[in-house]
Amino acid sequence: MSENNALPAIRQTQVLKAPISKVWDAVSTAEGIAAWFMPNDFQPVVGHEFHLDAGPYGRSPCKVTEIDPPHRVSFRWGKDWTLTFELKEVEGGTEFTLIHDGWDPEKVTEFGQPHASVRENMAKGWSGIGQRLASILEG
């Protein structure tokens, strides 16, 4: 089966100069996620349904699919995407990997935008969001 037309996951890894417990709090609590990403009513409970408040795009429905403290958080975002935060203790801090998956060149978002163009914008956006996370945790 050929997967040539599939769009790859956005995957960004950075080392944060913060202990894993501090990074975990930033990616597994509503307050933590709101500080660097979007307002939300997240709870670290598998099956919990919540919303990300995407400002002009409205409230995106989400559902927690995996919680593995303090190493992994994963949730469905909207109708197609999965967002995963992976944490690993390394010398000098925590390696943080963000994986945004579920891209399909045949699909459009809830707002009628093709996945391919949205993915490009999101890939750029995630690097800025990663910098914001670093500045909060390392500040």
Side-chain angles (χ1 to χ4, degrees):
M1 185 167 103
S2 171
E3 292 291 317
N4 291 345
N5 66 343
L7 296 166
I10 297 170
R11 180 181 285 267
Q12 294 185 358
T13 300
Q14 65 194 99
V15 174
L16 301 165
K17 295 178 189 75
I20 196 167
S21 59
K22 189 174 178 183
V23 180
W24 178 252
D25 286 345
V27 302
S28 69
T29 64
E31 301 79 20
I33 294 168
W36 61 277
F37 186 33
M38 288 185 212
N40 64 88
D41 52 353
F42 178 88
Q43 287 181 19
V45 177
V46 171
H48 176 68
E49 294 185 10
F50 68 102
H51 289 86
L52 288 171
D53 187 348
Y57 295 104
R59 289 163 48 86
S60 289
C62 302
K63 185 174 184 175
V64 179
T65 55
E66 188 179 353
I67 296 287
D68 178 17
H71 300 287
R72 192 172 162 95
V73 175
S74 194
F75 58 87
R76 298 280 308 152
W77 178 14
K79 64 184 181 64
D80 297 321
W81 296 330
T82 302
L83 205 52
T84 303
F85 307 135
E86 292 181 342
L87 283 57
K88 188 166 80 178
E89 273 185 288
V90 294
E91 196 171 325
T94 304
E95 184 182 272
F96 170 71
T97 301
L98 178 147
I99 304 159
H100 184 171
D101 205 358
W103 302 100
D104 183 335
E106 308 297 318
K107 291 186 178 176
V108 295
T109 67
E110 289 90 325
F111 309 104
Q113 300 162 299
H115 274 206
S117 59
V118 174
R119 185 191 177 284
E120 200 171 304
N121 290 337
M122 292 293 272
K124 292 179 193 140
W126 279 125
S127 59
I129 291 167
Q131 290 166 358
R132 196 156 68 221
L133 176 62
S135 69
I136 288 167
L137 290 171
E138 297 173 357

